[in-house]
Amino acid sequence: MIGVTIALIPLCHELWMLAVVLAIMGIFMGIIDTVANVSLLKIYGKLVSPFLQALHFCYGLGAFVSPIVAEPFLLNEDCTAFIENETKNASDRTVRQAEEILVTEAYGVTEAPNTTIATLEEAQHKTHVRYAFWIMAVIQVQ
């Protein structure tokens, strides 16, 4: 069920839908975590420490690997205007681009040039983050 809920996340276009899917996923993750801990305690008794540590190491490993899997699918754009629901005029955009150039030159950072996105729908169409969710869902099922 966790894999199914992870696969459903990119399909949620309303906040309430996302909240319901995440709540269901949280219930199942809590069940799996509790059952795994109790099962290890029942099997190994007082000698459970290394096994619990290995289990929780695997949780940490998953938390480390997930962003690495997701990074290639992220959109390298500044979408704060869409989040803050504001419009920027041309002079604000020019000042921001000049500041980015100064920071880039000062720290020697080289990046691919960003393209300009006009609408939220265009940004959602250009990003492929849904594939990262689906990859993690397949990994979860296995």
Side-chain angles (χ1 to χ4, degrees):
M1 284 305 294
I2 293 172
V4 170
T5 55
I6 290 173
L8 289 176
I9 289 172
L11 305 176
C12 296
H13 297 290
E14 298 291 329
L15 182 60
W16 68 268
M17 289 171 41
L18 180 62
V20 168
V21 168
L22 291 177
I24 293 169
M25 183 171 64
I27 290 168
F28 285 107
M29 290 177 89
I31 290 170
I32 287 175
D33 188 28
T34 304
V35 169
N37 286 329
V38 170
S39 296
L40 284 174
L41 278 169
K42 205 170 197 178
I43 293 169
Y44 296 105
K46 291 183 180 183
L47 302 174
V48 75
S49 294
F51 302 103
L52 280 178
Q53 290 172 2
L55 174 67
H56 289 92
F57 170 78
C58 290
Y59 292 156
L61 184 63
F64 176 75
V65 170
S66 295
I68 295 171
V69 170
E71 194 274 329
F73 301 103
L74 298 177
L75 183 63
N76 189 17
E77 287 290 329
D78 183 14
C79 295
T80 54
F82 303 129
I83 295 169
E84 295 171 355
N85 216 9
E86 64 183 36
T87 57
K88 302 257 185 204
N89 61 27
S91 64
D92 288 343
R93 196 173 304 129
T94 305
V95 168
R96 188 183 72 219
Q97 288 172 348
E99 290 172 348
E100 288 174 359
I101 290 171
L102 289 174
V103 169
T104 301
E105 290 175 355
Y107 292 102
V109 177
T110 57
E111 293 183 9
N114 291 344
T115 57
T116 305
I117 294 178
T119 64
L120 180 59
E121 290 79 24
E122 184 181 353
Q124 289 172 339
H125 179 66
K126 282 188 174 183
T127 186
H128 300 290
V129 74
R130 62 187 170 275
Y131 298 131
F133 281 99
W134 293 337
I135 289 169
M136 294 312 294
V138 168
I139 291 171
Q140 190 71 34
V141 169
Q142 294 177 355

